[in-house]
């Protein structure tokens, strides 16, 4: 808050008459204080202006990152793909199995894929909610070696409880997976590389939470509804 107020005061000073810019520091401070006392609303206006500029700068940075990272986002051979691998629309989803919002949006993503045969969803495991999330992400990625990723992913997302180590292994066992192989594959270079790439991409895009989606050249953070997903897909096709 202090930095924001200081920046607002600086912006305010630049809006004062030219003669104010020729004052010494003490005189300038007194002029600014007097101006604020007489017109307190201008502080909020200055802060809002700064916030708008910051939002525009962040949006521009995200847009640039989307452009430069497009290949890594949509065509990473080390990322699982759900839906139609040859679909005309690609969606990228960043998620954590212990994220309540990710679980809430899961049925919408599943419905979109089920009702639109030309959607491919690139899954980016991004475990940010503790060691249990890391374990779940590693197990899900390792399940690829046994051809169980989609089943495992769906089961983890549909699981009512927290994705703890015990729950994850119990689900794997219910799916008939080889637990010893799963544990070994969890330590593979491919699993490590996927999670590291997710971390790098989210840093480049300025993401700070899950879920987050990329629809074409548009970054869409948060748990969005099915209808909004359909609208985004329609606009991409249009």
């Amino acid at each position: 808050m202090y930095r924001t107020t200081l920046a607002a005061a600086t912006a305010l000073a630049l809006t004062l008459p030219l003669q104010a810019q020729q004052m010494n520091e003490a005189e300038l401070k007194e002029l600014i204080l007097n101006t604020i006392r007489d017109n307190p609303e201008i502080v909020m206006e200055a802060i809002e202006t700064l916030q708008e500029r910051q939002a525009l700068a962040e949006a521009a940075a995200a847009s640039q990152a989307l452009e430069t990272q497009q290949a890594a986002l949509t065509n990473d051979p080390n990322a699982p793909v759900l839906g139609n691998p040859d679909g005309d629309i690609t969606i990228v989803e960043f998620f954590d199995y212990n994220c309540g919002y990710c679980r809430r949006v899961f049925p919408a993503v599943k419905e979109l894929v089920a009702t639109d045969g030309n959607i491919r969803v690139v899954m980016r495991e991004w475990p940010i909610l503790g060691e249990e999330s890391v374990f779940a992400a590693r197990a899900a990625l390792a399940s690829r070696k046994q051809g169980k990723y989609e089943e495992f992913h769906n089961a983890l997302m549909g699981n009512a409880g927290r994705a703890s180590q015990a729950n994850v292994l119990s689900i794997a066992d219910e799916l008939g997976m080889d637990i010893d192989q799963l544990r070994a594959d969890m330590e593979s270079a491919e699993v490590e590389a996927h999670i590291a790439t997710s971390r790098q991409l989210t840093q480049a895009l300025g993401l700070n939470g899950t879920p987050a989606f990329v629809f074409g050249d548009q970054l869409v953070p948060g748990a969005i509804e099915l209808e909004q997903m359909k609208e985004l897909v329609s606009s991409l096709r249009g």
Side-chain angles (χ1 to χ4, degrees), residues 98 146 153 195 209 236:
N98 282 317
Q146 299 185 49
H153 171 78
I195 294 174
L236 288 173

Side-chain angles (χ1 to χ4, degrees), residues 2 5 10 24 30 55 57 73 84 93 98 119 124 130-131 180 182 188 190 206-207 209-210 226 230 234 237:
Y2 170 77
T5 305
T10 301
N24 61 40
E30 184 177 357
L73 283 165
N84 183 353
E93 179 183 4
N98 282 317
I119 298 287
R124 292 257 41 127
E131 288 304 312
D180 290 336
L182 182 71
S188 69
E190 291 87 353
L207 297 177
T210 54
L226 176 60
K230 289 181 177 179
S234 179
R237 288 194 175 123

